[in-house]
Amino acid sequence: MRKVILLGVVLTGFIYALPFVSGEMEIPYQDAMAQDSRSDDAESTVTAQGSGTSIMVQIDGTPQQMELEDYVAGVVAAEVPPTFPPEALKAQAVAARTYAAYKLASGRPEAHREADVCDDYHHCAAYIDLAAEASGRWGNGAETYQNAILEAVRSTAGEIVLYEDKPIIAVFSAAAAEKTESSADVWGNDVPYLQTVDSPGGEACPKYKGEAHFTAEEFRAIMAKALPAAKLDGTPDTWFTASERSAAGGIKTATVGGVKVSGTDLRQAFGLNSTNFTLRADKDSITFLTTGYGHGVGLSQYGAKYMAEQGKTYQEILTHYYTGTSIKPLSSATNS
């Protein structure tokens, strides 16, 4: 696991989850139905059958201790629609639990020294208090949706994804394009279980296709802060002169105004849905046309939805997206 600790630092600005998301981790689910009561019995079932592990979570800047399984339920509720198939919800639950286990094993970061994880999806994973927020989010469907999430957590309680008997950095995003990105192509660190794999079904994500339009002056202003060395003379249709794509189709690097910049940095600077983009430029403006939503590394949430609809189990989904891994109880993990 020490081999990939550096990636945990690199991920700080981009995770979870994703977008400049959400949700990149990533699509917050909203429902306009009227309010209804939640199921207290279902909530207590998860707590009673949890792994016995506690975790300190920084919520709105305040550290709070809770059962790991309750935290996992809150992440699932914040990260994916509760209408996803059961096996997709289970896959998300195991991924969330695994990422938390990795954080517990790695030690608390400088960003929140008093907590193991936080509720900021840019840094850790999105999180909500499921019991408190279910009615406000899902109205008359609150009990049904809450129970679906809690069942996914309860039925996978204590299970995590391991590589060489260590918890993995179980990153995820909303929707990869046709293939997931490798960690090396997005963050520069090659991690054996974060490789490029096929990922069908992403087009079901509402933000799978996107556009981001900028006038010439808007583009110059953003680049002046993000890449001041770039020379943006002339018209926008002359500013991009070269690019390199990953095996999954994302932009690894592009030359803008004579300066090479990573696709990840461009995505961050311009708030793009993904690094998988093409350009439409003329004399007055530039438009990014994106495919996919999120960083595209690891589990694709809409890919998991598609695989579950095709009859795949959560174990099959997870071992597909995390190459060469296995799913075992948290107690079987080693931290060395």
Side-chain angles (χ1 to χ4, degrees):
M1 179 56 80
R2 301 304 159 213
K3 179 180 179 182
V4 297
I5 289 296
L6 178 59
L7 179 62
V9 177
V10 177
L11 292 181
T12 296
F14 303 101
I15 293 181
Y16 252 180
L18 234 73
F20 284 33
V21 100
S22 90
E24 215 149 295
M25 291 195 98
E26 253 161 14
I27 300 181
Y29 183 77
Q30 301 296 331
D31 192 299
M33 295 184 292
Q35 292 189 354
D36 192 14
S37 60
R38 62 183 175 85
S39 172
D40 292 320
D41 290 339
E43 179 192 13
S44 62
T45 298
V46 171
T47 302
Q49 299 188 20
S51 61
T53 300
S54 63
I55 189 168
M56 189 70 75
V57 184
Q58 182 171 288
I59 302 173
D60 293 331
T62 302
Q64 297 184 30
Q65 189 166 7
M66 66 183 70
E67 290 293 319
L68 175 60
E69 301 304 327
D70 293 335
Y71 169 71
V72 171
V75 173
V76 176
E79 290 290 351
V80 293
T83 53
F84 270 22
E87 295 302 303
L89 294 178
K90 293 176 188 177
Q92 181 64 65
V94 176
R97 187 182 299 111
T98 303
Y99 189 73
Y102 167 77
K103 287 284 195 173
L104 286 166
S106 302
R108 295 174 179 175
E110 289 297 328
H112 42 75
R113 297 300 300 170
E114 296 182 355
D116 303 301
V117 294
C118 68
D119 60 352
D120 182 354
Y121 61 77
H122 292 100
H123 186 263
C124 293
Y127 168 85
I128 65 167
D129 184 331
L130 178 58
E133 296 192 30
S135 292
R137 284 187 167 230
W138 305 312
N140 291 331
E143 183 173 352
T144 297
Y145 293 151
Q146 185 178 11
N147 286 341
I149 292 168
L150 294 178
E151 172 58 21
V153 176
R154 182 199 63 77
S155 62
T156 64
E159 293 184 3
I160 61 172
V161 185
L162 301 176
Y163 183 83
E164 296 182 348
D165 295 325
K166 300 175 181 64
I168 70 168
I169 307 173
V171 294
F172 50 83
S173 61
E178 294 182 0
K179 296 178 180 291
T180 64
E181 296 284 349
S182 71
S183 62
D185 286 335
V186 174
W187 295 305
N189 295 76
D190 186 27
V191 179
Y193 51 79
L194 297 177
Q195 302 296 317
T196 296
V197 300
D198 291 337
S199 186
E203 61 275 8
C205 174
K207 295 189 177 181
Y208 184 72
K209 292 290 186 180
E211 290 190 15
H213 180 80
F214 301 90
T215 65
E217 290 309 310
E218 289 171 338
F219 189 91
R220 283 194 181 98
I222 292 171
M223 289 297 288
K225 295 180 180 179
L227 198 68
K231 304 298 183 183
L232 301 179
D233 301 323
T235 57
D237 52 357
T238 66
W239 292 345
F240 283 78
T241 56
S243 64
E244 178 187 7
R245 288 189 181 273
S246 69
I251 295 292
K252 293 176 63 176
T253 62
T255 301
V256 187
V259 180
K260 183 176 287 189
V261 59
S262 73
T264 296
D265 285 344
L266 283 173
R267 180 190 171 216
Q268 183 178 27
F270 292 94
L272 306 179
N273 284 355
S274 75
T275 61
N276 192 322
F277 61 79
T278 57
L279 290 172
R280 186 171 64 221
D282 55 29
K283 296 184 182 301
D284 302 307
S285 65
I286 285 181
T287 300
F288 294 91
L289 306 173
T290 58
T291 300
Y293 190 39
H295 51 62
V297 182
L299 177 72
S300 169
Q301 292 164 330
Y302 273 85
K305 174 180 181 290
Y306 176 85
M307 290 183 69
E309 290 168 345
Q310 304 308 305
K312 300 297 184 181
T313 66
Y314 72 93
Q315 296 98 330
E316 291 173 317
I317 293 169
L318 290 166
T319 54
H320 171 75
Y321 281 107
Y322 302 122
T323 308
T325 61
S326 59
I327 300 169
K328 296 180 181 179
L330 177 60
S331 59
S332 67
T334 61
N335 297 327
S336 60

